[in-house]
Amino acid sequence: MSIKLKLSKKVREAKELSLPLLALESTIIAHGMPYPKNLEFATEAESICESLGVVPATIAILGGEICVGLESFELEKISNSKKIQKVSSRELGLATSLGWDGATTVSSTMRIARNNNIEVFSTGGIGGVHQQADQTFDISQDILALSQVSMLVVSSGAKSVLDLAKTLELLETFGVSVVGYKTNSFPSFYSRSSGLGKINRVDSHKEIVEVFINNQLLELPCSTLVSNPVPVEDEIPPTKIDSIIKKALIALKKNQITGKAVTPFLLDAILKETKGKSLETNISLALNNVKLGAEIAKELNTKRKRPGSRFQ
Ligand code: PSU
Ligand code: MN
């Protein structure tokens, strides 16, 4: 018995030639954005990587087969099919044994990337502690994966549909190494700053890679979470987004949405309420994270290849 695994031609070549690779998740495509904008986003993300000399490895499950790197018809399928399941870590065994078509979340993308020796991953926002988690106990598996998988993860913080203060506390409890790229403030996805507790600032790709490598040398199991704020020109200020998020949370309760449907429901409600502006912001920050992730992947790749490196 073995797991069915397919590497795209480009990913295979990258491995043979030791080229830098960047992992990308597919839930953001299948469940985080509507068609056809999601496909445009996914295609643009891949071309940003390629223009920087980095090979994109978008991860998904098709017919129970784990795919690392998608061909364009596969990206189209993930973007457009209504039958794609949302697969987090705990569903990986199910999805691969029962032949599912599935989009991978942050937690499952990290596990698969790690299994395939891909060390850098860019996403939009991580999952975290949901509002009213004291009653619902709804906390994303992303936090657990971040505490257990050694990886460089680039995101724009977490969005304020979550309880950001509790999310930050839990990241601390679970020993996740959080750094802010050119900022001291944990970003809140749509806005550049959450106004919450200070995080440690790093100012270059080189510093980010050094923090990651030292975390590994110290044998810490956790990820290094790079928080990269949305570009200024695309930010939605907290004064504007907060009331919209409140409305979405009321609709969530009214419709009795729970479990893994919560995040996609909230994203869609916010998109409708902002008449598409939230989607533009989402795409902008996610592409910005792809760019930073690709630059970090290059830096890490160069460092690993240097003679005398323990990580050759
Ligand atoms: N945040 C976004 N867009 C998304 C997600 C998070 O802005 O699409 C997705 C990611 O795949 C993340 C998942 O891993 O939602 C978290 O879902 P949950 O809250 O059910 O753990
Ligand atoms: Mn949940």
Side-chain angles (χ1 to χ4, degrees), residues 22 24 44-57 290 294:
L22 180 68
L24 301 168
E44 176 74 14
E46 303 231 335
S47 57
I48 288 175
C49 288
E50 276 158 15
S51 70
L52 290 167
V54 172
V55 176
V290 170

Side-chain angles (χ1 to χ4, degrees), residues 92-311:
L92 278 175
L94 273 164
T96 50
S97 53
L98 302 184
W100 291 7
D101 287 334
T104 51
T105 64
V106 168
S107 68
S108 50
T109 303
M110 288 176 69
R111 307 272 176 188
I112 295 169
R114 188 72 244 176
N115 290 342
N116 286 279
N117 292 320
I118 302 175
E119 298 190 287
V120 189
F121 164 38
S122 286
T123 179
I126 57 160
V129 183
H130 281 269
Q131 305 257 6
Q132 293 172 346
D134 53 334
Q135 287 153 47
T136 62
F137 270 45
D138 191 350
I139 299 173
S140 177
Q141 287 166 78
D142 293 357
I143 303 274
L144 197 65
L146 287 163
S147 74
Q148 295 176 338
V149 180
S150 174
M151 181 156 291
L152 255 164
V153 181
V154 183
S155 91
S156 298
K159 72 178 74 57
S160 25
V161 297
L162 299 173
D163 186 324
L164 287 183
K166 289 196 179 69
T167 301
L168 259 178
E169 288 298 338
L170 212 62
L171 286 167
E172 179 181 345
T173 306
F174 281 104
V176 180
S177 177
V178 180
V179 297
Y181 182 58
K182 298 187 176 166
T183 182
N184 270 124
S185 171
F186 190 61
S188 61
F189 197 80
Y190 299 120
S191 317
R192 288 178 59 80
S193 166
S194 58
L196 284 167
K198 286 214 159 158
I199 54 173
N200 291 299
R201 171 178 173 144
V202 286
D203 286 301
S204 66
H205 314 145
K206 193 164 165 275
E207 279 177 5
I208 291 170
V209 166
E210 278 172 7
V211 173
F212 175 62
I213 287 185
N214 280 1
N215 281 334
Q216 289 196 329
L217 287 171
L218 292 158
E219 297 184 7
L220 298 170
C222 66
S223 279
T224 302
L225 180 63
V226 181
S227 310
N228 186 29
V230 57
V232 185
E233 61 276 17
D234 293 310
E235 139 171 91
I236 309 178
T239 43
K240 243 190 176 154
I241 199 75
D242 283 355
S243 58
I244 291 167
I245 288 175
K246 271 201 189 102
K247 252 185 154 168
L249 288 165
I250 291 168
L252 181 82
K253 223 174 174 174
K254 211 171 128 206
N255 288 280
Q256 299 181 333
I257 309 287
T258 56
K260 66 186 190 179
V262 169
T263 302
F265 178 92
L266 290 173
L267 284 172
D268 188 52
I270 295 166
L271 181 143
K272 286 186 181 128
E273 194 60 33
T274 60
K275 301 190 176 69
K277 168 70 185 147
S278 66
L279 179 59
E280 274 171 42
T281 301
N282 194 345
I283 291 175
S284 162
L285 66 85
L287 292 177
N288 195 41
N289 293 341
V290 170
K291 186 162 174 282
L292 179 60
E295 281 158 352
I296 292 171
K298 262 165 73 168
E299 178 78 27
L300 181 64
N301 191 256
T302 311
K303 204 146 188 150
R304 294 272 196 247
K305 283 183 179 163
R306 207 165 289 155
S309 159
R310 197 177 140 178
F311 289 97

